[in-house]
């Protein structure tokens, strides 16, 4: 059986662990939204300013915000149930949309605002979806330890 001193030590240890977990679970939601805006702007600018002779390696630079999103979602220490799956599906869908928008836009719609502006908005959507999920998780009681 535990005596009172051991019980107090165990509670203090549990409180310290819970505090560390809460500190590691800070949700920089505005950063995710800013990454989404950066992705939209970069994609639109690239699409509207490209020339048919532009190197195909240039769109790789546009993937920097997307890589940041993948790293962000993969390194969340504490998440509500099924969020890892939602993050994986959202980033996979975002990669597919980005690939489609940039590939088709570069080949067929060079400089066409009717293609690149909606395409840029679609490329930013995964960031906004994850930002909304993060806000929802932050407001849900019991989502944090």
């Amino acid at each position: 059986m535990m005596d009172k001193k051991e019980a107090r030590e165990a509670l203090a240890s549990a409180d310290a662990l819970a505090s560390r977990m809460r500190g590691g679970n800070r949700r920089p939601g505005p950063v995710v939204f800013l990454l989404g805006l950066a992705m939209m702007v970069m994609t639109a600018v690239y699409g509207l300013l490209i020339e048919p002779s532009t190197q195909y390696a240039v769109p790789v630079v546009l993937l920097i915000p997307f890589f940041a999103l993948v790293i962000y979602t993969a390194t969340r220490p504490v998440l509500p149930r099924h969020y890892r799956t939602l993050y994986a599906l959202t980033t996979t869908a975002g990669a597919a949309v980005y690939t489609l928008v940039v590939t088709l836009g570069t080949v067929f719609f060079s400089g066409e605002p009717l293609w690149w502006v909606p395409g840029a908005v679609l490329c930013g959507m995964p960031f906004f979806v994850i930002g909304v999920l993060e806000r929802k998780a932050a407001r849900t009681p019991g989502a944090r330890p």
Side-chain angles (χ1 to χ4, degrees):
M1 278 208 139
M2 268 187 166
D3 64 353
K4 287 184 180 184
K5 182 180 178 185
E6 289 174 337
R8 275 189 233 129
E9 289 174 1
L11 283 173
S13 174
D15 284 342
L17 179 62
S19 175
R20 275 191 310 190
M21 288 181 73
R22 277 190 295 274
N25 197 31
R26 292 197 178 114
R27 301 180 190 283
V31 173
V32 177
F33 284 108
L34 288 175
L35 281 172
L37 287 174
M39 185 70 170
M40 285 174 45
V41 169
M42 289 170 59
T43 304
V45 167
Y46 167 76
L48 295 174
L49 298 179
I50 62 170
E51 298 175 16
S53 63
T54 302
Q55 295 292 323
Y56 286 107
V58 174
V60 174
V61 175
L62 299 176
L63 290 174
I64 292 171
F66 195 70
F67 288 142
L69 178 68
V70 170
I71 291 168
Y72 170 79
T73 58
T75 58
R76 296 299 86 211
V78 180
L79 291 171
R81 188 176 181 155
H82 303 300
Y83 270 47
R84 292 243 186 256
T85 303
L86 286 171
Y87 287 167
L89 291 173
T90 302
T91 54
T92 302
V97 167
Y98 173 80
T99 302
L100 186 70
V101 166
V102 171
T103 303
L104 293 178
T106 302
V107 174
F108 298 111
F109 304 106
S110 180
E112 283 294 322
L114 289 176
W115 174 264
W116 286 102
V117 172
V121 171
L122 285 175
C123 288
M125 288 308 291
F127 297 89
F128 302 135
V129 168
I130 288 175
V132 168
L133 288 173
E134 288 287 325
R135 288 186 64 154
K136 179 182 171 191
R139 290 181 182 167
T140 303
R144 290 185 177 177

